[in-house]
Amino acid sequence: MATIFTRIVNGEIPSYKIAETEDYYAFLDINPLAKGHTLVIPKKEIDYIFNVDDDLLAGMLPFAKKVGRAIEAVVPCKRIGVTVIGLEVPHTHIHLIPINSIYDMDFKQPKLQLPAEEFEKLAADIREAYAKQ
Ligand code: AMP
């Protein structure tokens, strides 16, 4: 069965899309640690990041960098934290999280509850910043 992220890429499940290329897709995490928390995935469904082919893996970081630059243009923060966990959804993804301290990367913290309009506005603003690069 396809992963939830494959279904997002295929448009079967909605997402707050940030950007996409032929090989990659970025969208807002629905249970964010911070406003602008974004997931970057390869469209190809591969569970574990270290099973991703070298070429596909190598392209992921430049895409994530561009997405991260767009996020930091919209969400005030010291940096974009970058992490991979992957224990919940078996489809490779990189978390990009606006942070001001190490505690902002603590996945045990309560997640933000944002109204749909706020997700939509964040995604639209980050999309615009991405397109300007
Ligand atoms: P992990 O696999 O532990 O790295 O966590 C998976 C992440 O995917 C979590 O932060 C979830 O909030 C996020 N997530 C799960 N389903 C969705 C979805 N439909 N749209 C956006 N983010 C999701």
Side-chain angles (χ1 to χ4, degrees):
M1 207 180 85
T3 65
I4 192 160
F5 291 172
T6 292
R7 299 182 68 200
I8 283 174
V9 169
N10 292 340
E12 296 160 20
I13 291 179
S15 69
Y16 298 104
K17 179 177 159 180
I18 300 297
E20 81 177 301
T21 66
E22 194 183 336
D23 292 322
Y24 310 104
Y25 192 92
F27 55 107
L28 293 180
D29 192 305
I30 204 73
N31 296 118
L33 274 172
K35 288 179 187 179
H37 181 166
T38 296
L39 302 177
V40 167
I41 66 170
K43 290 182 175 175
K44 191 170 175 191
E45 191 178 296
I46 300 159
D47 177 359
Y48 184 36
I49 192 165
F50 286 168
N51 287 332
V52 176
D53 288 350
D54 287 358
D55 285 351
L56 190 60
L57 188 60
M60 226 174 139
L61 206 49
F63 177 67
K65 173 180 162 182
K66 205 172 163 190
V67 172
R69 289 286 188 215
I71 298 168
E72 65 189 8
V74 171
V75 180
C77 61
K78 279 194 179 156
R79 294 210 166 203
I80 301 296
V82 180
T83 196
V84 175
I85 300 176
L87 290 172
E88 192 185 312
V89 178
H91 186 140
T92 294
H93 51 282
I94 295 175
H95 293 263
L96 300 178
I97 307 168
I99 57 171
N100 292 297
S101 87
I102 193 165
Y103 301 107
D104 298 333
M105 294 292 283
D106 181 356
F107 277 74
K108 284 184 287 194
Q109 292 213 51
K111 306 298 188 296
L112 296 183
Q113 307 267 332
L114 302 178
E117 309 81 67
E118 192 156 1
F119 274 115
E120 272 156 23
K121 170 89 170 91
L122 273 167
D125 290 350
I126 299 169
R127 270 199 305 271
E128 194 182 324
Y130 180 92
K132 276 190 194 152
Q133 291 178 83

